């Protein structure tokens, strides 16, 4: 069935849409051709939109911009508030930073938003009924890149979680759910193990949920949640997670949806946002007019909604669904029996343009909804109430590889060192208490956490204690102060026997 | 088809098997009845085995053992080297530690081994051809439980990775693959982001792989790898990962296999090992003779192989496969059209006993293989070559919430502080460089990493610098020393503009 279509069968674009310019980067590989296809659709559906082309990717890298773009690109994004970005190739070899990481860090793009939707039966899917949006925190967690090697045996990475960071992402997830008519937000963490960091994320999630009584809020442990995403993604609607878990979970969701090649994504910040396809630059098929422009087109639909331009967003989204239903398919999703007409990149864009104004018949029609929230100001600026912070000790980490690594030998030496307020308490190795007490089977590395504690410690005592340790010949490699906040201990207890 | 079976149709058990005692804990809920069923099968197939019952779980918790077992249980496990453990209920409420975490930490059970196998068509599976073993590092990573809150806004968790820990788990994975006739070991990390910690794991994996030229070794990024596990688990054979990734990945693998209720697992240490079912204690169906004992039975098969008792292991494994094929099923997997006879817990055990000596006809026969390695001594004790460690600076972390959080204002003050060898270099906030340079859009928390560096620093200069900072009124909350090892910097560079 090939629909007979009038060249302009859609209602005139509402004239009240204000003129707006967006930054556009064509990117590398198939980037230029899919970008041209998408801009063609945008020009038809939203004529008040104009584009400022910026250089991002290989050309920028080759001209010496290690971030993959120069200051003029950054200025354009800052000026216009959004960028639609084609896929980029990061050159291998040292010194080149990925464009995405650079934009994310520089512009504070704290939310990565990835819808994973199955388009059964037109695209094979493991789960025919799937429509999940993963909202991933994008700046914190172990991805802050703070790593130190401090002994022969031990390296360390810091996992940092901030209350404002948790508030911002949880608020965004609920605002997204509300404005997109979604009914449930699931938070996934490992708060049963990481009680302070993931516990904070979960706590902020639950606090935030109270402001959205119409939306179901639930928490799941990430291992069970990811497994459930793999087997029953229909259980989920919107999911919000810390950075690392979200990285894994969003890939699992995309994979089981079957439509990763058709998926768009957004990186949202307070002042700026970036929209792109999930797929890469596919240099092997570049310039052949065979790439599927759907991922970037759906990213453009997300961008229009983010900008509050719902009429053209809805027009394009419905036309795209109808194109899929009509069996007008690029080679990547062409299957005999389902597909009707094989088209190239530009041909697919023309097919979408032809269908502007038509509605899908199989899939649910895209509704015009509300704007995806740029960000409610309240979420961004809620000040954290300062609490009374009391210094109650310090964890001193030693590089120590003497006396057969006997914790008792170390403990006896440390017990002789003290300041007015700080006295030796215990030793752990890889998180397991080894002195006093301990178990001979516990593996001991050359990295010892030695806790000194007291009731009322002056902050000047810590340099004093470190001076005593240095004078006694100990190799202190790091310290972590112990505080109580409003009387509540702000540190985990030592585990083990 | 119901096979006509003689009551004793199996070859006599080889008499050369030495007498051996194993510790057994029946556990809670369905634990006692499935344990009885499994011990019945073991008694038939391996009469030289005897059992020492130990108390683990609710009874122990109620008698005041917060770890879920008393010293006599620990002594029994240490004496016999292995424990077969039924599922345990951890009471909710503070102060109770999980039995598994306690055993793991106290006994140094560094490897969690979880086979995920599909038994299509007898058990519904998303992936009919799946036979994957996830070998998860069990002691390190963010699970060491070292967390600190140090400012109003920021909490932190340490991710610790040690070279001996990486060596032990990677070596175990390859030894497991070799002795179980498996052809490939896949390592999954996020080494593209966590270059020092996950980078070390990957590096040790690649070093270890050289000793196993007959086994294919490959590395994948964990997000892509987990997604692939969800969609194409047949691509994998043995997978080895750090703790957190393995937690998520093993749950995904179990879920898509469809057989999580039938799965056993092992926790392997240098001196001791624990074998158990993956499922929980299911108190809602306890005492009704309906629970499926297969998970604990397959764990017992893993235990026999670990002990080198291959003949009874093979006998039981083949009889169990044949029972499944014969359609003799407990209620949890009973399906009209596939199942032939519904049995209870004990009835299932009798059916397996009846089939000792029979071979599966649909599934591949279990081969007698070699022992799962307790651990080659070399892997356990390879000393790390000490390198020349040079102190080249310190990252000092401040709790600072003044002057509108202006990094330049902070930087100018810090630049006035120095020791003979240490001078101020830069500031990052949540891992992003904010001074010198920086970008106004970067979110700034109240937690500032301030780097002081130099070429040849005496360790006594760090307490000196901290004293200067304290005297200037700064609130230092933690430090991380910067070292070069054999001239190579042992710390990540600051990221950002």
């Amino acid at each position: 069935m090939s629909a007979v279509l009038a060249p302009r069968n859609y209602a005139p674009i509402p004239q009240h849409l204000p003129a707006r310019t967006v930054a556009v980067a064509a990117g590398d590989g198939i980037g230029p051709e899919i970008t041209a296809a998408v801009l063609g659709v945008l020009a038809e559906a939203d004529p008040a939109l104009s584009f400022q082309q910026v250089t991002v990717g290989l050309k920028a890298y080759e001209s010496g911009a290690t971030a993959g773009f120069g200051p003029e690109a950054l200025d354009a994004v800052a000026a216009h508030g959004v960028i639609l970005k084609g896929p980029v190739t990061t050159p291998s070899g040292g010194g080149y930073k990925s464009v995405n990481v650079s934009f994310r860090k520089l512009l504070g793009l704290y939310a990565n938003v990835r819808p994973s939707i199955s388009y059964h039966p037109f695209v094979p899917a493991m789960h025919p009924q799937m429509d999940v949006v993963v909202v991933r925190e994008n700046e914190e967690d172990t991805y802050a890149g703070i790593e130190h090697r401090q002994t022969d045996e031990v390296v360390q990475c810091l996992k940092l979680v901030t209350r404002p960071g948790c508030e911002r992402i949880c608020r965004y997830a609920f605002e997204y759910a509300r404005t997109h008519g979604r009914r449930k937000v699931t938070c996934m963490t490992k708060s049963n193990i990481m009680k302070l960091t993931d516990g904070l994320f979960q706590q902020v999630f639950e606090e935030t949920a109270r402001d959205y009584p119409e939306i179901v809020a639930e928490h799941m442990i990430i291992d069970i949640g990811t497994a459930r995403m793999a087997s029953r993604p229909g259980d989920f609607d919107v999911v919000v997670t810390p950075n690392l878990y979200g990285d894994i979970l969003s890939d699992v969701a995309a994979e089981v949806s079957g439509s990763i090649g058709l998926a768009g994504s957004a990186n949202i910040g307070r002042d700026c946002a970036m929209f792109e396809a999930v797929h890469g630059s596919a240099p092997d098929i570049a310039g052949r007019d065979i790439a599927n422009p759907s991922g970037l087109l759906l990213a453009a639909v997300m961008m229009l909604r983010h900008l509050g331009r719902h009429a053209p967003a809805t027009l394009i989204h419905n036309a795209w669904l109808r194109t899929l239903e009509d069996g007008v398919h690029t080679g990547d999703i062409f299957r005999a029996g389902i597909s009707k007409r094989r088209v190239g990149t530009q041909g697919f864009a023309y097919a979408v343009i032809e269908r502007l104004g038509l509605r899908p018949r199989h899939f649910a029609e895209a509704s015009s909804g509300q704007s995806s929230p740029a960000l409610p100001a309240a979420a961004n600026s809620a000040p954290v109430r300062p609490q009374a912070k009391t210094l109650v000790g310090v964890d001193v980490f030693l590089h120590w590889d003497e006396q057969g690594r006997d914790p008792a030998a170390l403990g006896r030496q440390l017990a002789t060192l003290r300041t007015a307020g700080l006295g030796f308490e215990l030793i752990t190795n890889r998180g397991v208490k080894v002195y006093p007490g301990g178990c001979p089977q516990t593996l001991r590395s050359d990295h010892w956490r030695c806790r000194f504690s007291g009731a009322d410690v002056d902050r000047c005592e810590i340099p004093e204690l470190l001076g005593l340790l240095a004078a006694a010949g100990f190799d202190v490699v790091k310290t972590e102060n112990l505080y109580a906040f409003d009387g509540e201990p702000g540190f985990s207890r030592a585990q083990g026997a």
Side-chain angles (χ1 to χ4, degrees), chain A:
Chain A
M1 166 223 67
S2 175
V4 178
L5 301 161
R8 285 282 184 282
N9 56 4
Y10 52 94
I13 301 301
Q15 290 306 307
H16 67 269
L17 280 184
R20 173 92 197 215
T21 304
V22 300
V24 174
D28 304 315
I30 58 172
E33 60 207 282
I34 64 173
T35 303
V38 168
L39 295 189
V41 177
L42 284 172
E44 289 290 330
D46 191 349
L49 204 62
S50 60
F51 310 107
Q52 181 182 346
Q53 299 277 352
V54 298
T55 301
V56 160
L58 284 177
K59 269 189 203 153
Y61 287 120
E62 284 160 8
S63 70
T66 56
F69 51 82
E72 75 293 347
L74 199 61
D75 289 347
V77 178
H80 303 308
V82 293
I83 179 169
L84 182 66
K85 187 180 79 58
V88 161
T89 307
T90 306
S92 57
Y96 297 111
K97 298 180 217 172
S98 99
V99 166
N100 280 26
V101 171
S102 303
F103 268 128
R104 174 155 48 81
K105 293 207 171 259
L106 288 171
L107 299 175
L109 307 181
Y110 64 88
N112 180 233
V113 183
R114 272 177 65 172
S116 288
I117 301 166
S118 61
Y119 298 104
H120 176 84
F122 305 100
V123 181
M126 291 173 62
H127 301 282
Q129 301 293 329
M130 176 169 180
D131 182 358
V132 173
V133 178
V134 177
V135 177
R136 165 189 172 192
E137 200 289 317
N138 219 5
E139 297 187 293
E140 307 197 336
D141 203 340
T142 48
Y143 287 48
I146 307 177
E147 296 188 285
H148 296 86
R149 178 179 173 199
Q150 294 166 327
T151 73
D152 285 307
E153 292 185 356
V154 178
V155 288
Q156 170 199 276
C157 178
L158 296 188
K159 169 174 167 142
L160 293 181
V161 178
T162 76
R163 175 171 270 276
C166 295
E167 286 181 353
R168 191 174 291 109
I169 194 72
C170 290
R171 179 80 48 190
Y172 184 85
F174 279 102
E175 286 291 318
Y176 183 96
R178 176 178 275 174
T179 58
H180 287 74
R182 288 177 175 268
R183 302 209 179 101
K184 185 168 75 166
V185 180
T186 305
C187 175
M188 295 190 196
T189 73
K190 191 79 190 176
S191 59
N192 55 334
I193 299 289
M194 281 159 268
K195 294 182 165 74
L196 296 189
T197 47
D198 286 8
L200 177 63
F201 194 99
Q202 181 184 357
Q203 181 189 335
V204 169
F205 171 78
E206 288 165 0
E207 289 168 10
T208 309
R210 286 184 214 125
D211 293 340
Y212 302 84
E214 80 281 17
I215 296 171
V216 176
E218 65 177 12
H219 178 266
M220 290 180 78
I221 298 299
I222 183 65
D223 46 336
I224 298 161
T226 309
R228 190 72 60 83
M229 183 65 79
S231 66
R232 305 215 305 259
D235 289 1
F236 299 105
D237 193 344
V238 174
V239 182
V240 62
T241 73
N243 202 340
L244 172 64
Y245 310 139
D247 191 4
I248 297 172
L249 186 75
S250 59
D251 262 28
V252 169
E255 182 87 7
V256 300
S257 77
S259 314
I260 193 165
L262 314 183
S265 80
N267 284 278
I268 306 286
R270 185 178 46 181
D271 305 313
C272 302
M274 176 171 70
F275 299 85
E276 62 186 338
V278 168
H279 62 71
S281 59
D284 52 318
I285 59 165
R288 292 166 55 194
D289 190 46
I290 61 175
N292 188 336
S294 295
L296 192 62
L297 186 64
L298 292 175
V301 170
M302 294 174 81
M303 177 185 75
L304 292 174
R305 293 207 182 279
H306 179 79
L307 296 173
R309 302 173 87 87
H310 296 290
T314 305
L315 209 57
I316 295 173
H317 198 172
N318 282 330
W320 179 81
L321 290 168
R322 180 62 175 268
T323 307
L324 208 61
E325 293 177 355
D326 285 349
V328 183
H329 293 168
T330 45
D332 56 310
I333 61 168
F334 193 91
R335 286 184 306 152
I338 296 284
S339 305
K340 306 286 184 198
R341 185 155 63 93
R342 184 192 291 264
V343 288
T345 308
Q346 303 308 320
F348 185 83
Y350 294 141
V352 173
I353 292 170
E354 279 179 336
R355 286 165 179 78
L356 289 170
L358 296 187
R359 296 181 161 85
R361 289 186 281 207
H362 174 89
F363 296 116
E365 198 177 322
S367 69
S368 58
Q370 302 298 315
S371 172
S372 161
L375 217 249
N380 209 25
S381 52
V384 174
R385 181 180 64 83
Q387 293 181 290
K389 189 175 86 163
T390 320
L391 181 63
V392 296
V394 59
D395 282 343
V396 176
F397 290 71
L398 302 181
H399 181 177
W400 188 75
D401 194 6
E402 297 172 23
Q403 297 176 267
R405 299 190 182 179
D406 174 14
L410 178 59
R412 283 190 296 268
Q413 294 177 67
L414 295 177
T416 66
L417 303 175
R418 62 168 302 127
T419 67
L422 282 171
F424 169 68
E425 183 184 340
L426 59 81
I427 305 172
T428 73
N429 196 299
R430 304 199 308 164
V432 180
K433 194 170 84 168
V434 292
Y435 184 82
C439 190
Q441 285 89 348
T442 304
L443 177 88
R444 297 182 297 274
S445 72
D446 59 5
H447 187 261
W448 305 78
R449 186 253 300 259
C450 307
R451 178 162 290 180
F452 290 79
S453 56
D456 187 15
V457 183
D458 184 276
R459 71 165 69 145
C460 293
E461 292 181 56
I462 289 175
E464 183 190 343
L465 176 67
L466 298 180
L468 294 174
L469 285 158
F474 284 108
D475 184 8
V476 174
V477 297
K478 63 169 288 181
T479 64
E480 304 278 356
N481 288 10
L482 308 180
Y483 294 103
F485 289 80
D486 284 353
E488 282 295 309
F491 49 91
S492 49
R493 289 167 184 235
Q495 295 174 16

